[in-house]
Amino acid sequence: METTRNEALEAWMREHKYSANSLAKAVNAGLEALTGKPGTYDGRHIREWRAGRVRWPNTATRKVLADLSGRSPVDLGFVPRSRNSRTAVPQEDPMHRRTLVTGTVSIAVAAAAPGAVSTRKVGMSDVARLQEKFSAVIASDHKRGGQRDIEQRAAGLADTALNLQNSGSATQRVRSSLYATAASFRSSAMWAAIDGRRFKDAVTHMREAQALAELSGDQAIKFRIWSHAGTLYRHMGRPADARAANDVARNLHITRRDPMFASLGLARHMAIQGAAHEQRNLPRTFDHAREAMDRADPVASRPVWLLAFYDEAELHSLALSAYLAAGDWATAEYHAHRCLAALRPYMERSRAITTSRLAQAQLAQGDVDTATDTAMTVKAEAATQHPRVSRMLQEFGAALRAMAPGSSSAITWTEHTAAWRTHP
């Protein structure tokens, strides 16, 4: 039988900037979320789909593709095993519709088949299984943050949470929890995009996360999303917008109920002050953030995303960012050392970022040899694969060559970075 290229799938992949390999990874992540077992697709399988040699993937794969794209398998160009191929769409393949929420933000919501009656009851156990996946996303972020596959996995799991809304009956508590879980995944996709400096994608994730958070009514996830929005705008060089977004987070009543949230809001406010060159305000804001942290109940129940990263090390990390942006190199170096001393062992991404900033602070003070030695301790994997770390070390190298051209440190650094080109 003659095959016809799947032009609809090719067009969708081009529109959403998927390569064959990246789509395979996204489908594998969706299959793991759906079935509990990782998928085994690779780029070759996706090319088979595009070429039309695979006309109708299996049931689970079709469901994942529908969740991922917001389109039915037929709309993606696949042909059911039926003579009436354009009308025979199996009821088991949910079609996601786009619906406007809060005026301008659209979120993917799975629509149940017309007239279908579901007897399944969705419960908190379903939510708990998704939240276990969320913990894995958080762990991946701390190990190798900023990667596109983390972003895609988190976004796919957000769609999975939404799809559960229409898979059966549920109480209002369960529905709110599902929206909160979807918002959590979407905010992790947003953070991965921020960390990878894919700001346009981050804005898209932010808008959908904000809408989902409103549907959930969950104060903690609202705080996370607006606080991340402040960080996004700070990295985009828009301190006024960063302050406004972070203020939304800081004004939520959860910051009055739990001083730990108030402390994080203040710490990120400090980083925004540094970006705005408000150096004289930094010591007071740091003290207020630390005082709030000291008041917080150490055994209080908090979201996994907060427990996983916010502590004394992160407070010093944000102070380091603030003083580095404000040009106070000596104080920035002090906070870098305090951060590195307090970092938990699994915070590999944070260690690479802090070490890169420490090298910048040391170089700015004229300590060329020490700064070079510090920069060389950043692992090659982070230096070559993490966009923020790569950019900081490129800036470090340019500043080193400008400050000490032809020096032994500059030569050593050039030779050291040349070896990265062979790193897999």
Side-chain angles (χ1 to χ4, degrees):
M1 183 174 63
E2 183 180 353
T3 61
T4 304
R5 289 195 69 81
N6 188 335
E7 295 179 356
L9 178 64
E10 288 184 319
W12 180 82
M13 288 175 65
R14 283 196 302 271
E15 179 185 355
H16 295 275
K17 297 181 174 60
Y18 275 106
S19 66
N21 288 332
S22 65
L23 180 57
K25 288 181 180 179
V27 171
N28 288 340
L31 286 170
E32 183 177 4
L34 179 66
T35 67
K37 297 180 180 179
T40 57
Y41 286 109
D42 58 23
R44 177 180 59 83
H45 294 98
I46 309 304
R47 289 189 286 272
E48 291 282 304
W49 295 353
R50 291 190 311 201
R53 287 188 286 272
V54 174
R55 295 161 61 83
W56 193 240
N58 64 42
T59 301
T61 302
R62 296 198 306 270
K63 185 175 187 303
V64 168
L65 284 168
D67 289 345
L68 186 64
S69 67
R71 303 181 185 183
S72 73
V74 170
D75 287 338
L76 285 175
F78 294 107
V79 182
R81 294 185 181 92
S82 166
R83 292 181 182 179
N84 194 7
S85 64
R86 284 293 158 188
T87 59
V89 182
Q91 293 293 318
E92 66 195 11
D93 293 313
M95 179 176 177
H96 288 263
R97 305 182 189 277
R98 306 296 291 180
T99 181
L100 292 178
V101 179
T102 65
T104 59
V105 183
S106 59
I107 61 174
V109 179
V117 178
S118 174
T119 58
R120 184 188 175 200
K121 185 171 181 60
V122 181
M124 289 305 295
S125 60
D126 296 290
V127 177
R129 281 190 289 272
L130 276 173
Q131 289 174 341
E132 289 176 6
K133 303 288 186 183
F134 182 60
S135 298
V137 169
I138 295 294
S140 296
D141 175 68
H142 289 305
K143 184 175 179 63
R144 31 178 219 96
Q147 303 305 310
R148 191 176 291 276
D149 68 300
I150 298 175
E151 176 190 348
Q152 292 170 343
R153 174 171 167 74
L157 286 166
D159 290 342
T160 299
L162 285 172
N163 194 44
L164 271 175
Q165 289 283 1
N166 280 26
S167 67
S169 62
T171 64
Q172 183 58 46
R173 173 173 174 254
V174 170
R175 295 202 181 281
S176 295
S177 297
L178 283 172
Y179 280 125
T181 302
S184 298
F185 281 124
R186 187 61 69 171
S187 65
S188 284
M190 171 188 174
W191 179 253
I194 294 170
D195 213 20
R197 299 189 64 79
R198 298 182 294 276
F199 298 142
K200 183 177 179 180
D201 293 338
V203 169
T204 299
H205 292 307
M206 175 185 71
R207 289 172 178 166
E208 298 202 3
Q210 287 167 337
L212 291 167
E214 288 300 319
L215 289 170
S216 75
D218 187 299
Q219 286 271 307
I221 195 57
K222 286 183 185 180
F223 178 95
R224 187 187 196 213
I225 292 162
W226 282 105
S227 185
H228 279 176
T231 302
L232 169 61
Y233 290 129
R234 174 165 60 87
H235 284 298
M236 293 173 71
R238 294 163 55 178
D241 292 332
R243 192 189 307 269
N246 195 56
D247 282 349
V248 174
R250 293 178 59 206
N251 287 329
L252 292 168
H253 68 71
I254 196 170
T255 62
R256 295 184 288 279
R257 189 171 74 236
D258 187 344
M260 192 64 80
F261 284 89
S263 177
L264 177 55
L266 283 162
R268 285 182 167 160
H269 181 67
M270 174 177 50
I272 295 166
Q273 288 176 325
H277 303 287
E278 299 172 7
Q279 185 173 339
R280 65 178 184 176
N281 295 325
L282 297 181
R284 184 192 310 175
T285 307
F286 179 85
D287 289 343
H288 288 168
R290 165 161 269 174
E291 289 166 4
M293 181 180 285
D294 291 342
R295 291 198 313 273
D297 182 354
V299 296
S301 176
R302 296 188 177 94
V304 63
W305 61 263
L306 184 64
L307 294 172
F309 91 102
Y310 190 58
D311 55 11
E312 182 182 359
E314 181 65 14
L315 176 58
H316 283 290
S317 174
L318 288 164
L320 162 62
S321 176
Y323 280 102
L324 198 63
D328 185 341
W329 318 121
T331 307
E333 180 179 2
Y334 163 79
H335 285 291
H337 286 299
R338 294 297 302 273
C339 174
L340 290 170
L343 269 177
R344 286 174 262 185
Y346 63 81
M347 306 286 280
E348 296 181 25
R349 162 195 160 277
S350 295
R351 187 171 298 278
I353 290 173
T354 301
T355 303
S356 301
R357 286 173 171 165
L358 171 59
Q360 289 180 327
Q362 290 169 333
L363 184 64
Q365 296 174 79
D367 197 346
V368 173
D369 294 340
T370 301
T372 304
D373 289 342
T374 297
M376 288 174 64
T377 65
V378 177
K379 292 182 179 179
E381 182 179 9
T384 57
Q385 297 183 23
H386 192 289
R388 283 172 65 192
V389 175
S390 296
R391 184 184 185 200
M392 284 190 284
L393 291 178
Q394 288 169 5
E395 292 171 348
F396 171 84
L400 173 62
R401 288 186 289 272
M403 180 178 291
S407 67
S408 60
S409 289
I411 294 170
T412 299
W413 177 252
T414 299
E415 293 173 349
H416 179 74
T417 56
W420 289 344
R421 300 190 187 100
T422 61
H423 188 272

